[in-house]
């Protein structure tokens, strides 16, 4: 077992992990941050996306020991302390960007990474960026719309699905 320490959503976190423990399992099982989901065992679905040192990462592709000392952000850190949703979360709600919600934490974290690097993405750029996030419910259209709305762009020309 190895001791790991990291900052998760601005707070110090630590635990004892096996070398094979994935970051997603450390977050969910040890830190009880179960908003980061596991939707596959093939690194395809993106339900597990978190930020590690500011970069979007599929937390099922990284060992917890690799995140030792890192700054990690999960979906639990996105809303304000009083529960007020952040701009992206609110846009998902306003534009019906979710149905079952299973993919939503990963979608929101991916969207946050996209908008950090590209504050006004085109529809094509949003769709391209979401290539690593699978949604089994929505057909993606309203997710794309929500992300573009969160970037402050007029989405009235994008028809609702
Ligand atoms: S659980 Fe990580 S990509 Fe599916
Ligand atoms: S809303 Fe159900 S998987 Fe995306």
């Amino acid at each position: 077992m190895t001791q790991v320490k990291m900052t998760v959503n601005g707070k110090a976190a630590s635990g004892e992990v096996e070398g094979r423990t994935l970051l997603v399992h450390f977050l969910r099982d040890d830190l009880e941050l179960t908003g980061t989901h596991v939707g596959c065992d093939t690194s395809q679905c993106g339900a597990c996306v978190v930020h590690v040192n500011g970069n979007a990462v599929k937390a099922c592709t990284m060992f917890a020991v690799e995140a030792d000392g890192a700054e990690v952000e999960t979906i639990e850190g996105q809303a304000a302390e009083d529960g007020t949703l952040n701009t992206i979360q609110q846009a998902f709600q306003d534009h019906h960007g979710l149905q079952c919600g299973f993919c939503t934490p990963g979608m929101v974290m991916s969207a946050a990474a996209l908008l950090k690097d590209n504050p006004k993405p085109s529809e094509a750029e949003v769709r391209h960026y979401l290539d690593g996030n699978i949604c089994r419910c929505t057909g993606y259209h309203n997710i794309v719309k929500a992300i573009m709305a969160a970037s402050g762009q007029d989405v009235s020309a994008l028809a609702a699905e």
Side-chain angles (χ1 to χ4, degrees):
M1 300 290 274
T2 305
Q3 170 89 9
V4 291
K5 293 182 184 174
M6 58 192 81
T7 304
V8 181
N9 300 325
K11 295 183 186 137
S14 62
E16 297 268 325
V17 297
E18 294 183 57
R20 64 179 179 169
T21 303
L22 297 172
L23 177 59
V24 70
H25 291 138
F26 178 67
L27 293 170
R28 288 178 55 83
D29 301 340
D30 291 61
L31 304 186
E32 299 184 350
L33 295 172
T34 54
T36 301
H37 292 159
V38 177
C40 70
D41 55 11
T42 51
S43 301
Q44 285 184 313
C45 75
C48 63
V49 171
V50 299
H51 295 181
V52 177
N53 294 329
N55 298 312
V57 168
K58 288 180 172 174
C60 72
T61 64
M62 187 171 186
F63 294 117
V65 292
E66 293 180 288
D68 189 34
E71 299 269 344
V72 178
E73 287 282 333
T74 72
I75 191 67
E76 287 87 352
Q78 302 308 296
E81 294 263 317
D82 67 358
T84 304
L85 300 178
N86 76 9
T87 305
I88 297 169
Q89 292 171 310
Q90 189 61 54
F92 268 69
Q93 185 177 89
D94 293 344
H95 295 278
H96 310 291
L98 65 148
Q99 288 181 24
C100 81
F102 192 85
C103 70
T104 311
M107 290 287 184
V108 168
M109 298 308 288
S110 288
L114 168 64
L115 297 185
K116 183 160 70 80
D117 291 343
N118 183 356
K120 299 273 183 225
S122 66
E123 180 181 352
E125 286 171 331
V126 174
R127 288 184 183 277
H128 179 71
Y129 196 85
L130 293 184
D131 197 39
N133 292 77
I134 293 173
C135 176
R136 64 190 171 186
C137 305
T138 65
Y140 301 97
H141 188 81
N142 288 346
I143 292 174
V144 174
K145 194 172 182 182
I147 294 169
M148 294 187 70
S151 74
Q153 299 185 80
D154 180 5
V155 294
S156 55
L158 293 175
E161 188 167 81

